[in-house]
Amino acid sequence: MGSFKGHALPGTLFLVVGLWHVWSCVFRHVSNPKAFQVRVWNPVPGFEGRLKHLELYVITVGAFIDLCIELLYSPHLKLFVNGVLNPAHMNDFEHSGMLLMFFIFGLVTLLSEKTSFLPLPEGALCLIAATAFCAEYLLFYFHSTTHKGLEGYYHLLLVLLIGLCIASTVAGALLPTSFPVDLCSGMAITLQGLWFYQTAFTLYGPSMPDGCQLKGSNIVCSSGESEARGEYLANFQLFSLILGLLALVVGCYSFAARQFGHPELTSLHGSQEE
């Protein structure tokens, strides 16, 4: 993933799924607040049900394609060297393990929803998703590349966002009727996708902080002040993304409430104020 494309590809997957989760969560709540249930995935309405499981196909196929890139394309099919795993591509193999977990989540959820072989409740699917996020958390926390300096700081912030994904997904299994928990889960996934993109543009694109540059596969800063300035910039970027996402969520809720709001929604808010 140490490239612009390597961060943009998973970032796109998380961003698309996260935004869809946020909108679906808001829509389901305003449509029928008393019957709201946490969902680890959200069906696409209409089209006579042909696109109902589109989100699961996006997760499964997207994870599989990225898995093939990391496991087969990046090491150029040289998985073993002298009888051991290719030491020059250990980071690619680690990424493959993380992507395999998301592929398994998508596949298991598809089997649960479309067949009678694996009928799992929503809470169990939430825990399987949390397991995939845990694998991602462990990957970036104990990475063989041992990111340091400014690159390490960006990955530290990513780890915090992954931890939020884990906590909100587990909470969804424990609090199956909580709208804030489901909304937080969608926002956490969206933020993770946005942060992948921010990392790509900052460390491997045109937004590199002054005094820092990409040398080979490492981010090198000319001084401690340049590195500290880059970290301050990262904090500001994350704050801006959170603020922008909050504004988007408020806008989505306002629009959905006006267009699709259930009559009970007004009475529910009125009773809470009393």
Side-chain angles (χ1 to χ4, degrees), residues 3-256:
S3 64
F4 185 93
K5 293 181 179 178
H7 286 82
L9 183 58
T12 301
L13 183 62
F14 283 115
L15 182 58
V16 169
V17 172
L19 288 174
W20 172 244
H21 194 130
V22 167
W23 168 252
S24 299
C25 173
V26 169
F27 176 78
R28 286 185 288 109
H29 180 261
V30 301
S31 299
N32 195 349
K34 291 187 177 180
F36 182 84
Q37 293 286 327
V38 171
R39 291 194 64 97
V40 73
W41 73 280
N42 295 276
V44 177
F47 303 99
E48 299 179 354
R50 290 193 295 268
L51 298 180
K52 178 180 179 181
H53 301 92
L54 179 61
E55 178 186 343
L56 296 178
Y57 284 117
V58 169
I59 294 173
T60 306
V61 175
F64 181 75
I65 292 174
D66 206 0
L67 171 63
C68 291
I69 292 174
E70 295 286 351
L71 185 62
L72 302 176
Y73 176 77
S74 294
H76 306 290
L77 299 179
K78 295 181 180 179
L79 303 183
F80 296 93
V81 176
N82 298 324
V84 298
L85 283 174
N86 191 337
H89 293 277
M90 291 302 296
N91 61 325
D92 296 319
F93 299 142
E94 291 174 341
H95 296 156
S96 301
M98 173 196 73
L99 293 165
L100 177 62
M101 292 301 298
F102 284 104
F103 172 75
I104 290 174
F105 161 71
L107 186 61
V108 168
T109 307
L110 276 172
L111 289 174
S112 176
E113 296 294 332
K114 299 196 68 174
T115 71
S116 58
F117 297 110
L118 198 64
L120 295 173
E122 197 70 22
L125 296 177
C126 285
L127 294 179
I128 295 174
T131 303
F133 284 123
C134 282
E136 185 187 11
Y137 181 94
L138 292 174
L139 163 68
F140 285 106
Y141 191 81
F142 299 104
H143 205 294
S144 66
T145 309
T146 58
H147 296 299
K148 297 180 180 179
L150 183 60
E151 186 180 13
Y153 191 75
Y154 271 81
H155 281 82
L156 173 62
L157 295 178
L158 175 62
V159 166
L160 296 178
L161 295 177
I162 298 171
L164 182 59
C165 289
I166 296 172
S168 58
T169 308
V170 172
L174 301 176
L175 302 169
T177 61
S178 174
F179 168 66
V181 165
D182 203 17
L183 183 60
C184 180
S185 178
M187 292 177 66
I189 297 172
T190 303
L191 276 174
Q192 188 181 163
L194 288 171
W195 193 246
F196 266 112
Y197 263 101
Q198 186 64 71
T199 301
F201 277 103
T202 302
L203 301 184
Y204 305 98
S207 302
M208 180 71 73
D210 292 338
C212 300
Q213 58 181 321
L214 178 63
K215 286 188 176 181
S217 59
N218 298 316
I219 308 298
V220 179
C221 295
S222 59
S223 65
E225 291 182 359
S226 298
E227 183 176 321
R229 187 164 55 247
E231 293 178 355
Y232 298 150
L233 176 63
N235 294 336
F236 176 76
Q237 289 168 341
L238 181 58
F239 172 78
S240 300
L241 292 176
I242 293 173
L243 186 62
L245 181 58
L246 283 174
L248 176 64
V249 170
V250 172
C252 286
Y253 191 93
S254 177
F255 172 79

